[in-house]
Amino acid sequence: MSDEQREAMLDEDEFDEDEDFADVEEAEETAEEEEDAGDALAAELAEQKEQYLRLFAEFDNFRKRTAKEKLETYGDATAKTVEQLLPVVDNFERAIDAPCTDAQYKEGMEMIFSQLKATLEKLGVTEIEALGAEFDPNIHQAIKQAEADEEFAENTVCEVFQKGYKLKERLIRPAMVAVAN
């Protein structure tokens, strides 16, 4: 081989080494770019996941809040309806207590009244026991004071003027009472 041929081969080898070195650098740059792109995608995925979790939590809170509001609205509507029916119940009781000469008529009124009370009980309406109970300003409305005697001790309800009612645990109407002093 001549010197010129050797130099040409060496130049070709050098050229190939330079080309290989460029390929390695290019591959490293590509790997770094892909890694940066992967990090960016991972960060974006984490951000999207957090947004999803926040949205899911917000929706869950909304669902619970609307369910609670629905129950409260139903309870308010029921309480308002029962409150409007209580004067009718009071008048029914007065009518039943009034003297009547027709036994069948009185029996029919008692049956209707018991049906009305059963319907109210199904709704969760209960009468507040007042006579002989200790006065509680949360469920009793004192409109008169009476002298304490042997039958009723001090701070005890001795007379009921109007019955009080609760809807489950909610006070619909306090009992109007006289309290022994």
Side-chain angles (χ1 to χ4, degrees):
M1 247 193 219
S2 73
D3 286 335
E4 287 178 12
Q5 286 178 342
R6 278 189 197 161
E7 269 185 41
M9 280 176 75
L10 285 174
D11 285 341
E12 283 180 19
D13 287 342
E14 285 179 21
F15 180 74
D16 287 340
E17 286 177 17
D18 288 342
E19 192 175 290
D20 289 342
F21 184 69
D23 288 343
V24 170
E25 282 183 353
E26 202 174 288
E28 287 177 355
E29 287 176 9
T30 305
E32 287 178 12
E33 288 174 2
E34 287 176 359
E35 188 177 314
D36 290 344
D39 290 345
L41 286 174
E44 186 177 338
L45 177 63
E47 182 181 328
Q48 291 294 323
K49 185 177 180 180
E50 184 167 330
Q51 285 179 353
Y52 167 76
L53 290 174
R54 287 182 185 273
L55 183 64
F56 183 78
E58 187 176 320
F59 176 73
D60 192 43
N61 290 340
F62 169 77
R63 185 180 51 80
K64 289 175 184 175
R65 185 174 56 249
T66 54
K68 181 181 175 187
E69 288 172 356
K70 183 179 176 182
L71 284 174
E72 287 175 356
T73 302
Y74 175 76
D76 291 344
T78 304
K80 190 84 169 160
T81 303
V82 168
E83 187 177 357
Q84 297 297 315
L85 283 174
L86 290 180
V88 175
V89 172
D90 293 339
N91 289 333
F92 235 123
E93 285 181 334
R94 286 185 199 101
I96 289 173
D97 290 342
C100 181
T101 56
D102 189 355
Q104 290 179 337
Y105 175 76
K106 186 165 180 110
E107 184 181 332
M109 291 290 283
E110 288 172 349
M111 289 173 63
I112 294 170
F113 182 66
S114 65
Q115 187 178 18
L116 176 62
K117 286 186 83 166
T119 302
L120 290 174
E121 286 174 8
K122 284 180 186 176
L123 290 173
V125 177
T126 55
E127 183 181 319
I128 296 172
E129 296 296 325
L131 190 61
E134 184 175 338
F135 176 74
D136 181 357
N138 296 318
I139 58 173
H140 301 126
Q141 181 178 359
I143 59 172
K144 181 179 172 184
Q145 291 183 346
E147 291 296 321
D149 58 11
E150 296 165 3
E151 188 178 351
F152 297 105
E154 190 173 311
N155 201 30
T156 302
V157 175
C158 60
E159 189 176 355
V160 178
F161 296 103
Q162 185 179 47
K163 292 180 180 180
Y165 292 90
K166 284 184 174 184
L167 176 63
K168 297 180 181 152
E169 296 301 316
R170 182 178 184 171
L171 181 67
I172 301 296
R173 181 176 78 183
M176 289 188 187
V177 298
V179 181
N181 266 352

